[in-house]
Amino acid sequence: MRNCLLTVFLLFVFTTIKAQTIQGKLVDEITGEAIPFVSIGVMGTNNTTVTNDAGEFILKNVNFPVKLRYSHVSYFMLEQELNGPANNLIVKLKPAAINLKPVVVDPYRGLKLVKAALEKAAGFSTQHFYGNAFYRQLTSLNGKPSQVYELFYDLEFNLSKVKGWIAKQSRFAETNDGIAFSMSNQSYLTFSLAGYLFEEKKTGKTVTLKSLNDFEISIEKYIEQKNQDIAVVSCKYKGNKKQFYINSTYYIGVEDLKIYRLENSIFNLPIKLSGSSSKIPPIATTIATFNGEKTPIPVIENISTKLYLNLIAGGRTLTPVISSMLTIYQLDKTLNTQKFTELTKNVKDKAIIESIAYNPIFWKDNPFVKQTTLEESSIKMMESKSAFGTMIDP
């Protein structure tokens, strides 16, 4: 009987330890600085995540022992074995060698790389992907945090756009100090600006297979990885700078022709804001990271955007800055059975958020909701006012 009880106890302990969580931070081996947008995956599974702006990450439902893989285009890939849970794991990545002065044999090498990468992706343009995502948006007004909302939702997407979404959990808060500013469909703006390999627009100029000759394309440098070099290729628009246009920088594998990172600088964004006029055309920047290890094409993992505005409303100058972070932390083909809401510019974020009852238990100590310093100060301010809820205005 005693041995039987001992066996049951050991099985219970093993079961509770087997599926656990790993929390940690990725830093530069030389400088010690945090590394954002590092892909972390449990080898042999679909369990993956990406570090946030502060280099922090979390992996849930991990079965030990486990082997993790850390990858970033500017650092050497690292594999690490863990035998048990870790709550404060510090992982150091070694910077990859940078070749700033490549021998110029072919002046059209950059153009050929971008064209080949886009053509390769175009062969999969109709393939749909499904995944679980977390989204946070923070608005600062004249240098002070004014609004924050966070969403967990399921996504349907391809290489051209997000096709649809289903919100699962949400929370929202905003200050009430006499000045108000809100983007009613910032999520659509985020999705439409960044992370896609085919930016077909009716107006303005973006990098596509049809518009490559409109851009000055050159290789800035090579990142010397173990398996292949990554070419950093800049595409700068040569035409009329008064219209809407996007300058892009691609990180392309020279052997597999996959795009691993895409940075966009967006100028003269054609957006309309009611009740205000713009002193300076809006500017937006985006960074998107892709994972091409398990698929023949790069699949979006993370999108970070920042939108800068300079407005006059009611005789007052307003300088809103809207930042957002989208992380697709798990791909799941079985989600294709759901009925997704089509994502268009007519979708209003407020209506989506109001449709879901605020669940404080879900958000309390939620390990996935990691914050950078800026976001943390804003969220703490909102929580101190008991502001979080479904469209609560303290």
Side-chain angles (χ1 to χ4, degrees):
M1 181 67 178
R2 182 179 179 182
N3 289 337
C4 181
L5 290 174
L6 178 60
T7 302
V8 172
F9 174 74
L10 290 176
L11 285 174
F12 174 76
V13 172
F14 176 77
T15 301
T16 56
I17 292 178
K18 188 177 179 183
Q20 293 287 349
T21 297
I22 301 174
Q23 294 183 1
K25 184 174 183 178
L26 273 293
V27 299
D28 188 294
E29 179 181 89
I30 298 175
T31 66
E33 295 181 355
I35 310 174
F37 310 132
V38 178
S39 298
I40 304 122
V42 177
M43 297 180 64
T45 75
N46 291 322
N47 194 355
T48 62
T49 190
V50 180
T51 59
N52 64 11
D53 280 341
E56 301 164 333
F57 75 94
I58 183 166
L59 281 168
K60 298 190 292 184
N61 300 321
V62 178
N63 296 324
F64 295 97
V66 68
K67 193 171 186 179
L68 302 181
R69 175 179 290 168
Y70 308 93
S71 60
H72 187 289
V73 291
S74 298
Y75 293 84
F76 286 119
M77 184 179 294
L78 175 66
E79 295 182 358
Q80 180 185 42
E81 293 185 4
L82 294 176
N83 293 318
N87 294 323
N88 191 25
L89 183 66
I90 302 296
V91 181
K92 298 179 180 180
L93 295 187
K94 182 179 180 180
I98 303 295
N99 186 346
L100 297 175
K101 298 180 180 180
V103 178
V104 181
V105 178
D106 183 356
Y108 298 102
R109 173 65 170 162
L111 172 62
K112 292 177 180 178
L113 279 174
V114 173
K115 183 178 180 181
L118 292 179
E119 286 177 340
K120 181 173 185 176
F124 300 87
S125 59
T126 59
Q127 183 172 345
H128 286 206
F129 299 92
Y130 301 86
N132 307 119
F134 172 68
Y135 177 79
R136 174 185 291 118
Q137 178 182 309
L138 173 67
T139 300
S140 296
L141 192 59
N142 295 349
K144 296 181 179 180
S146 62
Q147 182 189 87
V148 61
Y149 71 74
E150 298 168 317
L151 285 166
F152 280 89
Y153 46 72
D154 296 340
L155 281 182
E156 176 189 11
F157 62 100
N158 57 25
L159 297 181
S160 300
K161 62 181 180 179
V162 169
K163 300 284 292 183
W165 65 340
I166 302 176
K168 299 294 186 178
Q169 295 287 342
S170 70
R171 67 175 186 174
F172 173 98
E174 64 184 359
T175 59
N176 182 15
D177 56 5
I179 305 177
F181 174 85
S182 178
M183 290 287 292
S184 62
N185 59 349
Q186 170 69 10
S187 59
Y188 170 77
L189 187 65
T190 297
F191 295 145
S192 64
L193 288 181
Y196 310 115
L197 304 183
F198 306 102
E199 295 279 357
E200 298 289 353
K201 303 291 183 183
K202 295 182 180 179
T203 59
K205 286 294 181 178
T206 60
V207 177
T208 67
L209 285 170
K210 297 179 181 179
S211 66
L212 291 177
N213 290 332
D214 296 326
F215 290 80
E216 179 183 344
I217 301 177
S218 62
I219 298 177
E220 293 184 352
K221 58 187 177 183
Y222 289 95
I223 302 172
E224 298 176 1
Q225 290 283 4
K226 292 181 179 179
N227 297 330
Q228 66 175 337
D229 287 351
I230 304 294
V232 181
V233 187
S234 68
C235 304
K236 298 180 179 179
Y237 181 56
K238 297 184 294 186
N240 177 15
K241 301 297 177 63
K242 293 183 179 181
Q243 64 176 320
F244 164 56
Y245 69 96
I246 299 178
N247 287 342
S248 300
T249 300
Y250 291 85
Y251 291 67
I252 303 172
V254 298
E255 299 293 335
D256 62 16
L257 298 177
K258 292 180 180 179
I259 297 169
Y260 289 89
R261 182 181 175 103
L262 173 58
E263 301 173 357
N264 287 327
S265 295
I266 304 165
F267 301 92
N268 304 322
L269 190 64
I271 60 176
K272 296 181 179 180
L273 301 170
S274 60
S276 63
S277 60
S278 179
K279 296 173 60 178
I280 302 174
I283 296 176
T285 60
T286 73
I287 299 174
T289 61
F290 301 83
N291 185 351
E293 294 179 4
K294 299 178 182 178
T295 61
I297 55 169
V299 179
I300 189 73
E301 281 187 325
N302 190 277
I303 301 174
S304 174
T305 72
K306 283 194 175 181
L307 174 63
Y308 302 86
L309 298 170
N310 199 312
L311 309 173
I312 296 178
R316 304 180 65 174
T317 298
L318 304 179
T319 55
V321 177
I322 306 165
S323 61
S324 63
M325 176 80 76
L326 166 68
T327 300
I328 300 174
Y329 57 89
Q330 180 172 282
L331 294 177
D332 187 350
K333 294 180 180 179
T334 64
L335 297 178
N336 63 356
T337 59
Q338 300 183 105
K339 185 177 181 180
F340 288 84
T341 300
E342 183 182 0
L343 189 69
T344 70
K345 62 182 179 181
N346 295 322
V347 172
K348 303 301 182 184
D349 294 335
K350 180 178 178 180
I352 294 293
I353 295 171
E354 286 183 323
S355 68
I356 302 173
Y358 175 55
N359 181 0
I361 297 176
F362 173 85
W363 293 95
K364 182 177 175 59
D365 300 323
N366 187 311
F368 194 88
V369 184
K370 304 287 286 184
Q371 295 117 22
T372 63
T373 303
L374 177 61
E375 292 165 335
E376 187 175 15
S377 63
S378 174
I379 290 171
K380 283 185 176 180
M381 182 269 290
M382 297 296 185
E383 288 177 339
S384 69
K385 296 183 177 182
S386 298
F388 272 116
T390 304
M391 304 306 295
I392 292 177
D393 189 350

